[in-house]
């Protein structure tokens, strides 16, 4: 007997009794409402779309306030997610609203990894909640739940078809978050083109297996309107905080030379439908779907990776101690696997280090041989040059000695010549004197 069959059998054994008078637990819903109002609510919206498509303007219009979000540049090298949390209050209901904007989405030349940061962010919020759940001492009552409850996916009003990036992104997100596609700046195309564009988009989403959020029809109080609104998806919206005078009243609208597009006029766009479905009617269902469907899927996969299981080898339900024992075994196995992998990588790194040291030694030895050969060559050249200089010096010294000898000989010859010439002059003088006398 499976655990599901056992629970079903227990339900069948429960008896229904009639009370004889007033008890008071009929006030339990009122107690729950009062406690919820006192605690407040949280709601997290993820806005995915290209820069400048009107994400911030639509959020401002939806909540009828100015969130003062600065304009983003088109020149970011990577997609990054910017989360901002606000405290809102309507009557006596407090709402902690977190708006997560995708900055730089679709602006890169290579759009291959544009959606991965979004997937990583959603998983990170699931992981943070799971870690809080697994703590021994938990504080989920005061925990700020940052899990994304709805993704408003903004589609450009091209009038043709979905871009490849849009399909890839929605396909990656549909199992992690409730997706509501919206056609932004719907006043850019005509009503006929808009209706054809809606049909084309839904056809492409179905043919590519993209699961978007469907408004629930199991609650009789909202089944009719939700079923009707499911047929209007994706919503064609226009956002604006500017007020224009139409007749005797001021309305939110966008004014053009050819006319006025009223934001809250259902004949002009689907803004009112989106606001009613997102905030007024299905906000709690979006929160519940996030917890019971998307988070549970993430939690189950993570716990299975960690080694948790609900049944043993014989398909019998495991008690908590058995689960902990199973977890201990898994921990030990993974610990052994981790240390084995660590040892293997350490050996690889040692071998790589030895190999690199050998390569470096070979390079250094080769450089040393080249340096020695160059030194020997320069030494030989130096010796040859020195010997040439010594030879030139010897020859020069010999030339100097030869020149000195020639100089001395020349000086002796000149002296002899001068002496001979002097004696001859003296003889001539004596001869002349004797003749005169």
């Amino acid at each position: 007997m499976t655990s599901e069959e056992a629970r079903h059998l227990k339900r069948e054994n429960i008896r229904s009794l009639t009370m004889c008078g007033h008890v008071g637990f009929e006030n339990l819903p009122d107690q729950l409402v009062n406690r919820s109002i006192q605690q407040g609510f949280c709601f997290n919206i993820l806005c995915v779309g290209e820069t400048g498509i009107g994400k911030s303007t639509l959020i401002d219009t939806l909540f009828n306030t100015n969130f003062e979000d600065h304009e983003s540049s088109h020149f970011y090298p990577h997609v990054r997610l910017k989360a901002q949390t606000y405290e809102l209050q309507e009557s006596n209901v407090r709402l902690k609203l977190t708006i997560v904007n995708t900055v730089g989405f679709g602006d890169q030349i290579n759009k291959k990894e544009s959606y991965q940061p979004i997937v990583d962010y959603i998983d990170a919020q699931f992981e943070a909640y799971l870690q809080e759940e697994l703590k021994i001492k938990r504080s989920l009552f005061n925990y700020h739940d940052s899990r994304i409850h709805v993704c408003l996916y903004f589609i450009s009003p091209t009038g043709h078809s979905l871009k490849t990036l849009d399909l890839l992104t929605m396909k990656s997100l549909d199992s992690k978050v409730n997706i509501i596609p919206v056609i932004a700046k719907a006043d850019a195309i005509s009503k006929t083109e808009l209706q054809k564009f809606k049909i084309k988009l839904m056809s492409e989403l179905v043919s590519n297996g993209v699961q978007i959020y469907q408004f629930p029809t199991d609650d009789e109080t909202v089944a009719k309107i939700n079923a009707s609104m499911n047929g209007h998806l994706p919503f064609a919206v226009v956002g604006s905080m500017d007020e224009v005078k139409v007749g005797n009243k001021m309305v939110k609208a966008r004014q053009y030379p050819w006319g006025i597009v009223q934001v809250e006029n259902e004949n002009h766009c689907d803004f009112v439908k989106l606001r009613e479905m997102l905030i007024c009617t299905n906000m709690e269902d979006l929160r519940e779907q996030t917890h019971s469907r998307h988070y549970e899927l993430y939690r189950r996969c993570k716990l299975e990776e960690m080694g948790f299981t609900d049944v043993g080898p014989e398909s019998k339900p495991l008690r908590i101690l058995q689960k902990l024992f199973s977890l201990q075994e898994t921990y030990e196995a993974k610990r052994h696997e981790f240390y084995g992998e660590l040892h293997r990588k350490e050996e690889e790194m040692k071998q790589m280090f030895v190999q690199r040291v050998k390569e470096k030694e070979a390079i250094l030895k080769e450089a040393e041989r080249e340096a020695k050969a160059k030194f020997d060559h320069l030494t030989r050249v130096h010796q040859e040059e020195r010997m040439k200089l010594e030879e030139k010096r010897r020859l020069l010294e010999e030339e100097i000695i030869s020149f000195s000898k020639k100089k001395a000989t020349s000086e002796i010859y000149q002296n002899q010549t001068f002496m001979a010439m002097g004696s001859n002059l003296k003889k001539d003088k004596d001869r002349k004197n004797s003749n005169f006398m």
Side-chain angles (χ1 to χ4, degrees):
M1 181 184 297
T2 64
S3 58
E4 185 65 28
E5 291 175 346
R7 284 194 295 268
H8 182 68
L9 183 61
K10 287 182 179 179
R11 283 197 297 269
E12 288 182 348
N13 292 333
I14 297 175
R15 294 189 302 165
S16 296
L17 300 177
T18 303
M19 296 182 299
C20 299
H22 175 75
V23 175
F25 59 79
E26 63 180 8
N27 296 321
L28 184 58
D30 297 331
Q31 298 174 26
L32 184 60
V33 169
N34 293 335
R35 184 173 181 180
S36 298
I37 291 176
Q38 183 180 3
Q39 183 181 356
F41 301 88
C42 73
F43 193 63
N44 306 320
I45 302 177
L46 171 64
C47 299
V48 180
E50 299 174 358
T51 305
I53 203 170
K55 301 186 292 295
S56 300
T57 304
L58 181 66
I59 293 297
D60 290 349
T61 314
L62 275 173
F63 291 94
N64 200 20
T65 186
N66 187 4
F67 291 106
E68 298 180 354
D69 191 14
H70 300 289
E71 293 184 3
S72 300
S73 170
H74 288 269
F75 303 103
Y76 288 104
H78 305 288
V79 178
R80 63 185 184 90
L81 281 83
K82 183 175 68 174
Q84 291 181 314
T85 302
Y86 306 91
E87 289 278 357
L88 304 179
Q89 183 164 347
E90 186 177 31
S91 298
N92 63 335
V93 178
R94 291 180 295 107
L95 177 67
K96 184 178 289 185
L97 177 67
T98 299
I99 300 169
V100 183
N101 194 7
T102 52
V103 180
F105 180 79
D107 291 340
Q108 294 75 32
I109 296 176
N110 184 6
K111 300 178 174 61
K112 184 178 179 181
E113 301 296 331
S114 293
Y115 60 86
Q116 192 58 45
I118 306 174
V119 175
D120 294 341
Y121 180 86
I122 295 173
D123 285 344
Q125 311 318 306
F126 283 153
E127 182 65 25
Y129 193 88
L130 177 61
Q131 291 301 321
E132 184 66 27
E133 265 193 343
L134 294 177
K135 286 181 180 179
I136 296 176
K137 187 177 180 181
R138 303 185 298 180
S139 58
L140 292 176
F141 179 78
N142 297 322
Y143 178 76
H144 173 53
D145 188 2
S146 59
R147 295 173 298 176
I148 300 299
H149 297 124
V150 64
C151 169
L152 294 180
Y153 197 94
F154 290 73
I155 301 170
S156 299
T158 60
H160 300 292
S161 61
L162 281 170
K163 299 177 182 178
T164 304
L165 176 61
D166 296 331
L167 282 173
L168 289 175
T169 304
M170 283 193 275
K171 186 65 178 174
S172 302
L173 298 179
D174 64 355
S175 63
K176 299 177 180 295
V177 68
N178 303 307
I179 301 176
I180 298 180
V182 295
I183 302 173
K185 298 183 177 180
D187 52 344
I189 54 179
S190 66
K191 282 189 174 182
T192 305
E193 292 174 333
L194 186 59
Q195 194 59 35
K196 293 180 180 178
F197 189 38
K198 281 187 174 186
I199 296 172
K200 177 71 173 176
L201 293 183
M202 291 304 297
S203 174
E204 288 184 348
L205 291 175
V206 172
S207 62
N208 287 277
V210 178
Q211 300 292 326
I212 64 173
Y213 175 73
Q214 294 290 317
F215 303 117
T217 56
D218 51 354
D219 186 355
E220 295 180 358
T221 58
V222 294
K224 186 176 181 180
I225 186 172
N226 279 351
S228 174
M229 290 299 106
N230 283 330
H232 286 83
L233 289 171
F235 293 129
V237 297
V238 176
S240 176
M241 290 297 289
D242 299 331
E243 292 192 345
V244 179
K245 188 173 183 180
V246 177
N248 296 325
K249 62 179 182 178
M250 301 295 291
V251 297
K252 288 184 174 64
R254 300 185 73 89
Q255 189 166 14
Y256 297 97
W258 45 263
I260 297 173
V261 178
Q262 298 180 35
V263 173
E264 296 179 324
N265 188 333
E266 295 192 44
N267 293 321
H268 291 185
C269 68
D270 297 332
F271 172 79
V272 174
K273 294 183 178 67
L274 174 64
R275 185 177 60 188
E276 290 294 321
M277 291 295 99
L278 177 66
I279 301 175
C280 302
T281 307
N282 297 300
M283 180 180 282
E284 181 56 31
D285 184 72
L286 288 166
R287 287 157 41 92
E288 180 63 28
Q289 285 291 320
T290 299
H291 182 77
S292 62
R293 179 185 168 196
H294 301 296
Y295 171 69
E296 282 299 320
L297 176 61
Y298 177 86
R299 178 178 176 273
R300 184 176 74 247
C301 294
K302 273 293 180 180
L303 292 181
E304 287 175 353
E305 288 179 9
M306 295 169 63
F308 276 107
T309 180
D310 289 330
V311 294
E314 300 178 358
S315 299
K316 292 182 179 180
L318 293 178
R319 298 181 183 274
I320 185 64
L321 291 178
Q322 292 175 312
K323 291 182 180 181
L324 290 175
F325 182 72
S326 174
L327 179 61
Q328 181 68 20
E329 288 181 338
T330 304
Y331 169 76
E332 291 296 335
K334 287 190 175 293
R335 181 172 177 271
H336 181 72
E337 180 183 352
F338 171 76
Y339 277 108
E341 183 71 15
L342 185 64
H343 181 70
R344 185 182 64 80
K345 289 185 177 180
E346 185 178 357
E347 290 297 323
E348 288 180 356
M349 292 182 68
K350 284 182 179 179
Q351 293 177 5
M352 188 182 298
F353 176 75
V354 171
Q355 181 66 24
R356 289 187 177 181
V357 168
K358 289 181 179 179
E359 292 175 358
K360 195 67 176 179
E361 286 180 350
I363 292 172
L364 291 175
K365 286 181 179 179
E366 181 65 24
E368 185 181 1
R369 283 195 297 269
E370 291 178 357
K372 190 175 183 303
K374 188 175 181 180
F375 175 76
D376 294 341
H377 174 71
L378 291 175
T379 302
R380 287 194 301 270
V381 171
H382 175 70
Q383 291 291 339
E384 292 174 358
E385 291 291 332
R386 184 176 179 182
M387 292 174 65
K388 289 179 181 179
L389 289 173
E390 291 291 338
E391 181 65 21
K392 288 181 179 180
R393 180 180 178 184
R394 186 183 62 78
L395 294 173
L396 181 61
E397 288 177 348
E398 290 178 355
E399 289 179 0
I400 291 172
I401 293 171
S402 176
F403 177 77
S404 297
K405 290 180 179 180
K406 289 179 180 180
K407 182 179 178 183
T409 304
S410 175
E411 288 177 349
I412 293 171
Y413 177 74
Q414 287 179 357
N415 289 335
Q416 291 176 352
T417 303
F418 287 150
M419 290 177 66
M421 288 177 64
S423 63
N424 290 336
L425 288 173
K426 186 176 181 182
K427 289 178 179 179
D428 290 342
K429 187 176 180 182
D430 291 341
R431 192 182 299 117
K432 286 180 181 179
N433 288 336
S434 64
N435 290 336
F436 181 72
M437 292 180 66

